[in-house]
Amino acid sequence: MLLVDADPIIFRRRQPAVIRKGLRCAYFWARSEVTLGVRFGAFTLDAPARQLLDGSRPIHLSPKAFDLLALLVQRRPAAMSKLDIHRQLWPDTFVTDGSLAVLVAEIRAALGDNVRQPVFMRTLHRFGYAFVGPVVETVTRADATIRAAQCWLASGNERARLEPGDNVVGRDPLASIRVGLDPAADLRIDAAGISRRHALVVVAEEAVTLHDLSSKNGTFVNEVRATRPVLLNDGEQIRLGSVSLQFRRVTDVSATKTQEVAHEQTSTVEGKRTP
C-alpha cells in the first residue's frame, strides 16, 4: 500500500486533474524504487514484466501457462483447487480439466520438472496443484549495490568475486566464474570433474543460494549433495565434483560503523556527556 501525505497546504486550490497527476507521479516513484521478483532453482520469475529466465536465458511460456505459474507461485505453499484455478484463468469461459493439464505439462517441460518426483509443481490428485519449490524473493533498490554484502569463492590463494544476481560457475568460457588453469580463468585451479555449467550461485540482498545445474559429478555443501537450492553462510565448504572451494561473505562494514556511531551518539545524549 502506498501512503501519500495529503498535506492540505500542498493540495489547496489545486485542480482535481493536477492532484491525480501528482498521485500518479508519487506512485511511479514508489514502483521504480523497488522491483520485486522470485527465484527458484536456476529460474527467475518476474511477473510484472511477464518474464521467466533460466539463469540469463529467457524461457518461453504461452500466456496462460505463464499466468498459471505466476498464480501458483503467488499462492505458495497453499494448494489451489482446479475450480479456483479455472475461476482465475478463465473467469467467463468454460474449459475442461484437460486444458489445465496441458498448461501444467507445458510448465513442467519448461522447468525440467518430473511429475513423479516434482521439485516445483506438485499434483494433488482429484484436487488441484501446488507450487512446492523453495523460493527466494528478490528486492532490487537503487542503492542495493551499496548495501549488498561482499561475496566470493576461494581456493587457496585464488579467489573470485560473486556479483549481485546470478553467477554461473564452470569451465564454460561464458561462465560468470570460469574455473581452469588457463590465464583467462577467474579461478586458476585444476578443473577436473567440473562441468561446463556446473553450479549457480545467486547473490540477493537477503540471501545467497547455491544451485546445482544438473552437473555430472554433483555439487556438495559441507559434503552433503545439493539436490535442491542451498542457503550459503560465510565459511561454507563447497565441492564441485572433486574441486573444493570455500564461500566467504562479509557484510557491509560502513553500515555497521554507522549504526555503532549512531548508538554512541544516542548514549551520549541520554547520559548528557560531552566529548
Side-chain angles (χ1 to χ4, degrees):
M1 178 183 295
L2 175 65
L3 299 179
V4 178
D5 185 8
D7 191 331
I9 298 177
I10 296 176
F11 288 97
R12 184 181 299 165
R13 297 178 182 175
R14 296 292 181 89
Q15 295 297 323
V18 176
I19 295 176
R20 288 196 298 270
K21 182 178 179 181
L23 292 176
R24 284 199 300 271
C25 292
Y27 177 71
F28 173 78
W29 177 84
R31 287 290 301 273
S32 61
E33 183 188 20
V34 180
T35 303
L36 297 179
V38 294
R39 287 195 177 97
F40 47 90
F43 302 97
T44 302
L45 177 69
D46 187 344
R50 296 191 65 82
Q51 188 174 49
L52 175 66
L53 301 175
D54 180 0
S56 59
R57 180 173 62 92
I59 301 296
H60 174 73
L61 285 177
S62 65
K64 285 296 183 184
F66 187 94
D67 291 340
L68 175 58
L69 176 60
L71 178 63
L72 292 175
V73 170
Q74 180 186 14
R75 297 291 183 87
R76 70 186 190 281
M80 290 192 67
S81 69
K82 295 179 182 179
L83 180 59
D84 285 341
I85 295 174
H86 279 285
R87 287 172 176 170
Q88 292 289 333
L89 299 186
W90 300 281
D92 302 316
T93 306
F94 173 78
V95 297
T96 65
D97 287 345
S99 299
L100 180 57
V102 170
L103 297 182
V104 172
E106 180 183 348
I107 295 172
R108 283 190 171 126
L111 301 180
D113 209 15
N114 190 319
V115 65
R116 297 185 180 277
Q117 294 181 325
V119 176
F120 302 117
M121 297 280 292
R122 178 188 173 199
T123 300
L124 289 85
H125 295 288
R126 300 180 181 273
F127 180 76
Y129 301 93
F131 189 90
V132 295
V135 168
V136 175
E137 294 188 356
T138 60
V139 181
T140 304
R141 303 177 188 268
D143 59 346
T145 303
I146 299 176
R147 295 197 308 271
Q150 300 297 314
C151 307
W152 64 90
L153 295 177
S155 177
N157 294 326
E158 293 287 324
R159 77 177 195 173
R161 181 178 176 178
L162 295 164
E163 300 294 338
D166 294 347
N167 298 264
V168 176
V169 184
R171 295 184 293 103
D172 195 309
L174 298 179
S176 309
I177 296 182
R178 185 180 177 187
V179 182
L181 294 175
D182 58 287
D186 300 291
L187 283 173
R188 297 186 62 185
I189 56 177
D190 188 358
I194 293 184
S195 301
R196 292 179 63 85
R197 291 170 54 89
H198 195 107
L200 174 71
V201 181
V202 179
V203 179
E205 184 180 349
E206 67 281 2
V208 179
T209 52
L210 175 68
H211 313 253
D212 181 68
L213 297 180
S214 301
S215 62
K216 180 179 179 180
N217 295 315
T219 300
F220 302 80
V221 178
N222 298 328
E223 294 305 317
V224 177
R225 186 159 191 160
T227 57
R228 292 174 176 267
V230 178
L231 183 66
L232 291 178
N233 297 308
D234 180 45
E236 301 270 36
Q237 298 296 320
I238 300 172
R239 182 161 61 84
L240 308 180
S242 59
V243 176
S244 296
L245 303 171
Q246 186 179 41
F247 170 74
R248 299 307 312 270
R249 177 177 184 177
V250 177
T251 54
D252 186 30
V253 177
S254 61
T256 303
K257 288 184 177 180
T258 301
Q259 292 176 357
E260 290 176 351
V261 170
H263 177 72
E264 183 178 349
Q265 291 176 345
T266 302
S267 300
T268 301
V269 171
E270 291 179 351
K272 297 182 180 179
R273 293 182 293 151
T274 56

